Amino acid sequence: MVQAMVRFLKDEEGATAIEYGLIAALISVAIIIGAGAVGTAVNDTFNNVAGTMTGVGG
């Protein structure tokens, strides 16, 4: 019984899986934030182009 408990305490396989899960979650959050920033910048660019074209057509 003691040997089983010692083996359980030395086993780090679950900790590694949790670490990989946390890294994947952080990368996902970074991608979501980056995509939002790029989307906002693209939207602003299209609005500027639309405003310029409206002024030229008049």
Side-chain angles (χ1 to χ4, degrees):
M1 179 69 174
V2 174
Q3 288 178 347
M5 185 64 109
V6 170
R7 251 188 325 211
F8 176 74
L9 292 175
K10 286 184 178 181
D11 185 18
E12 295 182 2
E13 207 168 294
T16 303
I18 291 172
E19 290 168 358
Y20 283 132
L22 289 173
I23 290 170
L26 289 174
I27 290 171
S28 299
V29 168
I31 289 172
I32 291 169
I33 291 172
V38 169
T40 301
V42 169
N43 189 27
D44 291 344
T45 300
F46 279 126
N47 285 334
N48 288 339
V49 170
T52 301
M53 292 181 77
T54 302
V56 170

